[in-house]
Amino acid sequence: MKQIKLYILTLFAAVTVISSCKKDFLERPPLSQITTDNFYKSSSDLRLVTAGLYAQPWNDWNSFPLLAIGDILSGNMLQPYNADLAQLTAFSVTSQNGQMSTSWRCFYKIVAHCNTNIKAINTKVPDSVALKNKNGALGELRFLRATAYFHLAQLWGAVPIIEDNDKLIKDPLLPRHRLADVYRFIVNDLRFAAAALPTRDQAGRVTTWSAQGMLAKVYLTKAGIGGNRKQSDLDSAAFFARNVINTSGLTLLPSYYNLFRTQFNDNPESLFAFQWAPGVGYGNGNAIQTQFAPSSSVVPPGGGWGGAIGPTFDLDSLYTPQDSVRRKATFMLTGDHYPELNAAGGGYTATSCSVKKHVVGTAADNNAPTMDIWSSPQHNTVLRLADVYLVYVEALLGTNSSTSDAEALRVFNMVRKRAGVDPVTTITTEQLRNERRIELAFEGQYWFDLVRLSYYNPQGAVTLLNNQILKNTRVQFSYDPATGKKTRNTNGIVITPPTIATFTLPIPATEITADPKLLDPPAAYY
Amino acid sequence: MLMVVFLILLHLKGYAQEKQITGKIVGNDNPMPLRGAIIQVKNKKTATSTNEQGQYSIKANMGDVLIFKMIGFQPQEIMIGDGSIINVILRIESTKLDEVVVIGYGDKTRRDLTGSVSSISGTELLKTQPTTVDQALQGKVPGVVVQQISGQPGGGVSVQIRGLSGFSNNPPLYVVDGLQILPSTGDKGTNPLSSINPSEISSIDILKDASATAIYGAQATNGVVIITTKRGVSGPPVVSYDGYAGAQALPKYYEVMNLREYATFMNEKSAIIGYDLRPQFANPAYLGVGTDWQKALFRTALMQNHNLALTGGDARTKYYLSGTYFSQEGIALGSDFRRISSRLNLDNKTTDWLKLGVSLQLANVKENVTTSQTGVIRQALNQTPDVNVINPDGTWGGNDPNIYGATGTNPFALAKIVKDLKNRYELFGNAYAEIQFAKGLTLRNELSGNISTATEDQFDPIYTMGAYSKTSNSATYSSGKNTFYSLTNYLTYGHSFANKYNLNAMIGHESKVWEYENVSASRTNFPSNNVQAISGGDAATATNAGEKGQTAGESYFGRIDFKYNDKYNITFNVRDDGSSKFAPENRWVTTYSGAFAWKLKQENFFKDVKSIDDLKLRVGYGLQNNQNIRDYAYGSTLRTVTNSLSGNSQIIATSGNPDVKWETTKGYNVGLDVSILNRRVDFSLDAYYKRTDNLLLSLTLPLYSGMVDATGYAPGSIQSPYINIGSVSNKGIEFSINTHNIKSQNFNWKSNLTLSHNTNKILTLNTDAAALYGYAGSTAITKSTVGRSIGEYYGYETLGTYKNAEDFKKYPALPQKGGLPIPITNGSGGVWVGDVIFKDQNNDGVIDENDQVFLGSPIPKFQFGINNSFNYKNFDLNIFMSGNYGNKLYNQVRVDAENPNQNFGYFKNVGEYARIGLINPTGSAADINNVYITNPETSITRISQASGNGNERFSSKYIEDGSFIRCKSITLGYSFKENLLSKIYLKNLRLYAQVTNVFTITKYKGYDPEIGSWNPLAAGVDNGYYAQPRVFTIGANISILNK
């Protein structure tokens, strides 16, 4: 008996020793997730991490603020009932406005993803990965980061610059940085991207032309900081725009209308477009059409919440009768028929004046069975060639009030010709502004045009908006197809006159609570 | 079938000759004879008592059982054998000090305890009939704060032992028959402890201070709750049945507008704003009361519990076998809970040196969690009374499609037609072998496992509810498996020498592995709402997901207990823990503790103090470590997202911190246990201080970090890293007193009071100016900063509403827009009479973020429980009260429901919105000097779509006092006499009636002031809280015995 016990005791000791000697017992990496330690090992790994940043992280901005700020605030569009949106129309945006926090959060999310990946690529990628591929991935990331900062700068002015998110862990409270420094940071990123990115890549990926086009726009915008447009910046803008126009080999898509159909996703005109996929669920996809489509019959079941949203009288009055292609592609007038929307149901006939751009139809219309209300497959563009054309014209126009420069007229009329409207022989600043507004309406651009103007001509920018109030055009309207009569709507919104402060959005209240340093004057970054 | 088995076990008794039995009875405390002790033949009327010499004489048969009773002593039963003289030593009635207390890898009598340990017996547990084990702790144990997370059946409970030692959830470690369980906290609707059946519990021991918990090392920082289930006892089989049935109802309703009031209000609102009047509201007097959505959603719900147990055994084998059925409907539609469980506990003394045993429980829990999943309680408070529950044509009621903005859904319909069912099988198992090598030297091997598989079946149908119509249906089915195994070996050595010295030593090793895996599938476009199986959906819409994970831990531990002369007890614990959650260089950590107890009563100088029966002083100190972080917290991970470039792609999911290390808590405890007045009054007083350093937290950073903390949700954000962020202290006092107020043959009254007070303070955070914020939705509502306690509310202080032009002079500070104060205008973006006055805290003339102040803490200053039990002859009555004092709650429901400018349902008091009158009726309504509020006492704002004042911002307006006293339960029982029962072969029969949540005294306006939270940074938030029901129950306890 005693022996048995001795055996057991020995066994116990042995088991304990053996189990504790098994050093890897406590080595438990995740079973279903990739870790940063075992990723970033090949060129294809790098392609996967960059691809991830073309869609989902942009959701917060894309799903509403893109149009709420870009088009409602600028007076292209209106929704009188939602309190946050009514604030945008009334120029009474508070720091509690939900559109502020979602967009602020969105751009900084992009920044965080880019920063983390840039750091990982710089420290973890083995030498076996070709330098060209490594730089290409860095180029994509820095392009995306610059794009996020460009949005931040145009919306909030001076904002914190973050290059290494790991540093925030130890020291989370940052000041805002000077606007000029933010632009310098953006230019540095884009210049790197322009050099590192290839001239051609898989459709949908950014190339050097994307970076150069964006650089042109950034230079054009930053030119006005400080009050007068700097000629050197205007020259840089013209230089990069010209490069894209003349040497990229890219051309405008022949049909303006088709630009916004999913069958023409990533067409040659597209320089940077979100790469939304269908069937990805809430928070991961393109929800624009769900939010803005006027009827649930033209979108996947459950969507179509845009019945109360429509174009303003101000926007509508800019379109000449000849300009019907762009008008019909941008917004619907009562009675308009769209055969491709809900084609199986015989198409859609508009019953009100509503948003059309981004409304692409049902799952069957797009041959995308997994498409749901949160995931339109439309690859809406952030930057397209026509935008760069008009940036080029604006750079050439420079500080003059009009131009007849042949180069400027050539590209300007290419945009007009594609839209089916007559060419012009001179271009005034007002014509250019209206051309941009029409061409890019409901693509979130007009607010940025006004911000750009406010840098060097604040009174001019204020006046433009004020005129919408004075002329009572910052209102929706109804249209009677029988008589062709347009009647302005009334709503309860009392608009307070804009001031120069209108062009800098309030930083979200929670953010200021979390970091009171944001109230301090902007600090130097460089 | 089960009954047949039980009946077979009841065999008949033998027959014997009557004879005279004599003997003497003495007490065990001093050998004086006991006079007046009662001797009774069991189940017969024969009885006698002792004389002055303690002697007795009685006639009985061989095989009869004699019962010896004396007040103040434990009764004893002796079966009559061959002899005729039976001398008896009666033990003094067992006191708390004789209880066996489970202390982790061993047990002790309370008498010898050095640490702070509280216990609850199984019988005490049943008095409040908790649905789950953790509910049972409420008010019973000083220092333990128990609050319901949700009143839904089987809903979660937050348990904090001795305060908040961190910014994230601080659950204690639960150990069930040697099996360690960490309650998961991911889902507010479900509770893993809910699969344990409270009626099978023999005792619960709560280890509170470091000297007691250190033996469990990591994970035990927040205390340990040791649950011991009932085991077999030697003797003939006993079959017992415990059952009850009850009805539950919502104790309190919010006052909302009925249809007439709503129509009147909407007419007034339309007139002010300029909306079209609704024709059907033209004459409110002709309208009915409309729909009361609370009455539609809440119901009188039934619950029942049936437990059948069989226990018995012989010298070698003891068994306990039990089966339970429990079902509870929720008081809100769309919530139900059902548990079927069975338990087998076996102990076998195989040889004189080997003992084997198992504890096995298999449980099946089915839950309907539609209520919490669809948020229907909140929607019931949002929906308007003009909407029918069901329209006359049989369709679901919904908002009028012609009225813009009102797109609420029908909560009654949702609760009925949305499916969300959870089904869980859980196996708890523990097997042990105990080998005695020599006298006092024992090796125990334990293998424990917890395997659970769970499924969730969800279906979201197509429906139309007025303006709201959902045109596609979808289903999701998920399945998951969690496993936990641990292997524990420990060697115990006990030795007494020279009658004075007692040594007990233990060393051991333990290894543990947790693993989980789950998979889910979804489809949409089902041909009909009646086809709900996944395969019925459109295959082209199919999506699926799945993940796996694992964690491991390994430990070495030891304890030395030394007792000298029954006066001094010293205990030392040490434990070395390794955890896979940390990087190799931070993986191992040591926990230790020491404690000393001095039984003053045993000292000669105290022996003669008659008034004190027991007096013990305890002092303890210890260091503990905690690893309450996500798996693989030291590394960063990526996850898969879909885009059209590459199909699947990878984005950063979590940010790792390679330097993250164990959280450490150092603390001491001083305790005093006193027993006086012939042990009729026992009390314990404990004071403690503990300091936690290197606090682990998934950081809450500003939005510009692009990161959210582990509890936050923002698609595409990176989960922030866990870092060692700072230090927190907790100090407190716990007091408990047990008194036997009246002690007599027929009437007994016992009371128990527990009282605890804890102060929590943040000592350091990683940077000086740093603060942590807690959010309700996207609004920051709490701020935790150095020098204050965790999770204090932080926002604007309100000073009522502007009533006239005078008020604007009195409170000139206004919110700003674009650097300028908002205008005083009734136009857009302005402030006007009827808007809220915010206090300008820093007197800088503007209302901005700098005017936010601390608005109180959701942590109670005191928590208490009072229990009174009475026995009169065969009646028993138990009254249990518990309460909180000094905490605040955020009533988020009121933010919307008391806002006249939203488009949903309103509380009744919104009818008293701030009405604007004109001083000069012909003057301008836009002239501030010509307007005033005609009902200045109102707390509701004016009607205006355009106020720029931010009336609904987070402010003291919605912070309420959360103190309450609640009568948790009143139970009245009647036990039938034994001699009556024996004729029908019953040992015991008790019938009882009970009411729980009898009444609550509180100033809180919501349904229920007891609002628990697993997130200390956003605690006490009431956003449509599922209230605890009032329950009326009747029940029976029956046991059948063959003597």
Side-chain angles (χ1 to χ4, degrees), chain B residues 431-627:
Chain B
Y432 72 87
E434 204 173 280
I435 303 150
Q436 195 176 355
F437 294 103
K439 189 170 181 296
L441 181 66
T442 312
L443 171 67
R444 190 170 163 108
N445 313 95
E446 284 189 39
L447 176 66
S448 303
N450 174 14
I451 302 165
S452 70
T453 65
T455 59
E456 184 169 7
D457 191 359
Q458 294 166 294
F459 188 81
D460 205 0
I462 286 173
Y463 51 80
T464 299
M465 297 167 185
Y468 189 78
S469 108
K470 195 166 158 295
T471 51
S472 80
N473 46 22
S474 60
T476 301
Y477 192 83
S478 354
S479 175
K481 188 174 86 177
N482 289 286
T483 54
F484 167 74
Y485 296 105
S486 70
L487 182 64
T488 311
N489 301 299
Y490 58 96
L491 201 57
T492 311
Y493 177 69
H495 189 61
S496 308
F497 39 100
N499 269 335
K500 271 187 175 179
Y501 306 97
N502 248 312
L503 174 73
N504 216 305
M506 184 267 293
I507 57 161
H509 171 261
E510 187 167 80
S511 49
K512 305 180 267 200
V513 183
W514 292 264
E515 285 171 332
Y516 71 88
E517 57 187 63
N518 56 59
V519 62
S520 71
S522 304
R523 284 192 190 185
T524 54
N525 298 341
F526 288 72
S528 146
N529 282 345
N530 298 325
V531 180
Q532 302 195 342
I534 282 291
S535 54
D538 181 355
T541 64
T543 57
N544 51 57
E547 57 177 354
K548 290 178 177 180
Q550 58 176 353
T551 315
E554 187 179 12
S555 320
Y556 299 87
F557 50 88
R559 172 169 55 215
I560 292 177
D561 248 318
F562 185 74
K563 183 159 93 170
Y564 169 70
N565 212 6
D566 201 27
K567 276 186 200 165
Y568 312 113
N569 285 63
I570 296 178
T571 310
F572 290 107
N573 289 302
V574 64
R575 179 158 173 145
D576 219 22
D577 281 299
S579 165
S580 66
K581 292 184 174 185
F582 297 96
E585 52 275 20
N586 294 322
R587 198 157 273 169
W588 286 87
V589 76
T590 304
T591 296
Y592 59 81
S593 76
F596 171 69
W598 181 18
K599 289 178 202 157
L600 288 146
K601 179 64 186 173
Q602 305 295 92
E603 296 288 351
N604 288 332
F605 60 83
F606 236 113
K607 277 247 156 85
D608 297 330
V609 183
K610 288 281 179 216
S611 56
I612 295 177
D613 303 309
D614 265 307
L615 181 61
K616 183 165 87 171
L617 180 70
R618 290 174 279 111
V619 182
Y621 176 81
L623 168 127
Q624 284 189 281
N625 303 282
N626 192 5
Q627 56 162 354

Side-chain angles (χ1 to χ4, degrees), chain B residues 131-132 135 148 150-156 189-191 194 326 328 337 367:
Chain B
T131 307
T132 59
Q135 289 173 8
Q148 290 269 170
S150 162
Q152 114 176 21
T190 54
N191 175 2
S194 65
F326 172 78
Q328 184 181 7
F337 181 89
E367 285 173 280

Side-chain angles (χ1 to χ4, degrees), chain A residues 12 20 109 113 202 301 494 513 515, chain B residues 471 556 645 704 715-716 773 828:
Chain A
F12 163 66
S20 54
K109 220 154 51 178
H113 280 291
Q202 177 192 0
V494 182
T513 311
D515 177 13
Chain B
T471 51
Y556 299 87
L645 276 181
Y704 58 62
Y773 294 89
S828 177

Side-chain angles (χ1 to χ4, degrees), chain B residues 174 176 178-184 192-193 195-196 359-363 424-430 447-453 481-486 513-516:
Chain B
Y174 292 84
V176 182
L179 170 69
Q180 300 177 19
I181 297 174
L182 277 174
S184 89
L193 288 166
S195 51
I196 296 166
S359 313
L360 277 177
Q361 181 189 278
L362 180 63
R424 183 165 93 242
Y425 289 90
E426 193 130 22
L427 177 71
F428 295 98
N430 172 281
L447 176 66
S448 303
N450 174 14
I451 302 165
S452 70
T453 65
K481 188 174 86 177
N482 289 286
T483 54
F484 167 74
Y485 296 105
S486 70
V513 183
W514 292 264
E515 285 171 332
Y516 71 88

Side-chain angles (χ1 to χ4, degrees), chain A residues 2-21:
Chain A
K2 236 188 170 105
Q3 260 174 335
I4 299 174
K5 292 189 200 172
L6 201 65
Y7 288 149
I8 297 171
L9 196 62
T10 319
L11 194 68
F12 163 66
V15 166
T16 307
V17 170
I18 289 165
S19 67
S20 54
C21 277

Side-chain angles (χ1 to χ4, degrees), chain B residues 268-440:
Chain B
E268 292 175 25
K269 182 173 173 179
S270 300
I272 292 170
I273 293 183
Y275 281 172
D276 294 339
L277 288 170
R278 283 165 67 179
Q280 62 270 45
F281 290 170
N283 198 336
Y286 293 159
L287 296 169
V289 293
T291 303
D292 182 336
W293 286 100
Q294 295 179 89
K295 295 270 159 63
L297 187 67
F298 288 103
R299 60 181 166 183
T300 299
L302 301 178
M303 66 190 286
Q304 53 178 319
N305 184 60
H306 304 285
N307 171 252
L308 201 56
L310 171 67
T311 173
D314 55 24
R316 272 208 184 283
T317 306
K318 291 181 273 190
Y319 57 87
Y320 176 86
L321 173 67
S322 125
T324 308
Y325 173 86
F326 172 78
S327 84
Q328 184 181 7
E329 289 176 342
I331 49 170
L333 282 180
S335 55
D336 302 290
F337 181 89
R338 196 218 64 188
R339 174 178 61 219
I340 297 176
S341 64
S342 106
R343 165 172 294 282
L344 174 66
N345 287 352
L346 267 183
D347 298 283
N348 177 264
K349 195 165 169 30
T350 316
T351 68
D352 59 348
W353 56 271
L354 178 66
K355 274 205 280 189
L356 299 172
V358 292
S359 313
L360 277 177
Q361 181 189 278
L362 180 63
N364 172 226
V365 173
K366 282 187 176 174
E367 285 173 280
N368 176 358
V369 295
T370 303
T371 309
S372 53
Q373 206 61 250
T374 51
V376 285
I377 294 178
R378 184 62 200 265
Q379 289 181 50
L381 295 170
N382 266 349
Q383 189 49 287
T384 53
D386 58 322
V387 172
N388 289 326
V389 176
I390 299 171
N391 293 322
D393 63 0
T395 57
W396 296 119
N399 291 99
D400 190 333
N402 300 318
I403 295 161
Y404 187 80
T407 51
T409 48
N410 182 329
F412 176 86
L414 287 184
K416 285 271 191 200
I417 63 177
V418 174
K419 178 168 82 174
D420 198 329
L421 301 176
K422 292 186 173 181
N423 189 358
R424 183 165 93 242
Y425 289 90
E426 193 130 22
L427 177 71
F428 295 98
N430 172 281
Y432 72 87
E434 204 173 280
I435 303 150
Q436 195 176 355
F437 294 103
K439 189 170 181 296

